[in-house]
């Protein structure tokens, strides 16, 4: 599902450099990414989703070589292939909860919003304990609730690859378990691949594999 080879990446205005010689993630695998803050975990998710482009090397996701695509093709790839739980949630304040969950269907003409999709959204919302709050705006939700909305949104389109940046970071232990259980069950049921950044060592057992970022030669001063 993800192949990265001889990948090099640096931010223009920063000395941070990320070097990954080989990373292979199989379809359906659930992989946790751990490592110290600032080691490049979010940067990796941005590279896999085509938000950032490497300086050199190859990135193949779901059979498509994304490092050579133009902006429009990368955007289409991202919409069709990836469900993203952002660290800062990236929810829309003027949309109600249910419409934030359905957002991929409003911005992507290829996704058709029908009764089945609405039922799936309702089911996800209920399973994450947000039932009855569907019409609330984001400022009427706690941080933990907003995080769960972000998880529902990432899952609703059944994208082949779910990327999650600290998906349990703002949650209490009970909600942590329900969010992870949902991520694992849904990804199993739909055959989705899951790549999640986490600091939470208590949750690592549920993953097939853990990638420790200290393996990746994230070199602070490399050009
Ligand atoms: P992690 O997710 O492991 O905490 P990040 O991928 O967010 O690490 O960041 C890795 C490094 O890249 C950090 O040193 C950070 O300051 C730097 N960095 C992140 N985003 C940018 C950016 N847009 N421009 C310049 N430097 C950045």
């Amino acid at each position: 599902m993800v192949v990265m080879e001889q990948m090099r990446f640096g931010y223009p205005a920063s000395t941070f450099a990320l070097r990954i010689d080989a990373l292979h993630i199989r379809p359906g695998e659930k992989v946790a990414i751990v490592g110290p803050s600032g080691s490049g975990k979010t940067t990796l998710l941005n590279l896999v989703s085509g938000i950032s482009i490497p300086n050199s090397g190859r990135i193949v996701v779901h059979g498509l070589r994304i490092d050579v695509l133009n902006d429009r093709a990368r955007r289409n790839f991202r919409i069709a292939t990836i469900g993203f739980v952002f660290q800062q949630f990236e929810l829309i304040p003027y949309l109600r909860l249910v419409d934030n969950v359905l957002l991929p269907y409003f911005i992507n003409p290829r996704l058709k919003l029908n009764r089945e999709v609405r039922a799936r959204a309702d089911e996800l919302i209920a399973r994450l304990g947000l039932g009855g709050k569907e019409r609330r705006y984001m400022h009427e939700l706690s941080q933990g609730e907003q995080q769960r909305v972000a998880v529902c949104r990432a899952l609703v389109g059944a994208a082949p690859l779910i990327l999650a940046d600290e998906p349990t970071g703002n949650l209490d232990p009970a909600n942590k378990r329900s969010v992870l259980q949902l991520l694992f069950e849904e990804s199993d049921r739909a055959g989705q691949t899951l790549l999640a950044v986490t600091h939470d060592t208590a949750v690592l057992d549920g993953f097939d594999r853990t990638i420790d970022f200290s393996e990746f030669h994230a070199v602070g001063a490399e050009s």
Side-chain angles (χ1 to χ4, degrees):
M1 172 59 71
V2 178
V3 176
M4 211 176 254
E5 280 163 353
Q6 304 303 326
M7 199 289 303
R8 304 285 181 272
F9 174 81
Y11 291 103
S14 159
T15 54
F16 175 80
L18 184 61
R19 185 180 120 196
I20 297 178
D21 288 335
L23 171 67
H24 294 241
I25 295 171
R26 290 188 301 279
E29 241 190 328
K30 298 180 196 49
V31 178
I33 304 170
V34 299
S37 181
S39 59
K41 302 182 297 298
T42 298
T43 303
L44 175 74
L45 294 188
N46 289 340
L47 286 160
V48 169
S49 61
I51 291 172
S52 298
I53 307 169
N55 303 114
S56 60
R58 276 161 45 90
I59 303 179
V60 180
V61 179
H62 202 226
L64 193 65
R65 185 162 173 195
I66 61 167
D67 55 282
V68 295
L69 297 178
N70 64 25
D71 283 356
R72 187 168 166 197
R74 272 186 301 126
R75 206 164 39 242
N76 287 338
F77 147 80
R78 195 155 54 239
I79 289 168
T81 312
I82 289 175
F84 211 131
V85 186
F86 292 95
Q87 201 167 27
Q88 308 298 333
F89 317 145
E90 312 287 346
L91 300 169
I92 310 291
Y94 54 82
L95 291 181
R96 296 181 190 276
L97 187 157
V98 64
D99 293 327
N100 264 289
V101 171
L102 291 169
L103 189 66
Y105 287 84
F106 301 140
I107 58 178
N108 180 2
R110 291 186 201 173
L111 292 176
K112 294 285 171 259
L113 182 56
N114 55 30
R115 206 174 286 182
E116 235 170 55
V117 173
R118 287 194 181 274
R120 178 169 161 78
D122 288 344
E123 187 197 330
L124 289 168
I125 288 167
R127 284 186 61 191
L128 280 182
L130 296 167
K133 298 181 176 167
E134 290 86 348
R135 296 184 57 76
R136 290 206 193 168
Y137 291 101
M138 297 304 100
H139 72 272
E140 299 169 319
L141 299 171
S142 71
Q143 286 285 300
E145 287 171 337
Q146 291 182 35
Q147 187 159 36
R148 285 179 275 149
V149 175
V151 169
C152 291
R153 185 184 57 189
L155 289 172
V156 75
L161 178 60
I162 303 296
L163 301 178
D165 201 347
E166 297 277 355
T168 58
N170 291 281
L171 302 176
D172 58 65
N175 276 316
K176 227 173 239 188
R177 274 192 300 278
S178 64
V179 162
L180 280 169
Q181 203 179 344
L182 186 77
L183 276 171
F184 291 148
E185 280 176 18
E186 286 297 314
S187 48
D188 273 345
R189 201 175 56 78
Q192 289 160 299
T193 309
L194 174 65
L195 188 55
V197 169
T198 182
H199 279 119
D200 205 342
T201 48
V203 306
L204 292 180
D205 280 357
F207 288 89
D208 299 322
R209 182 154 66 104
T210 299
I211 295 175
D212 187 340
F213 237 74
S214 41
E215 289 167 23
F216 283 139
H217 315 288
V219 180
E222 198 172 272
S223 61

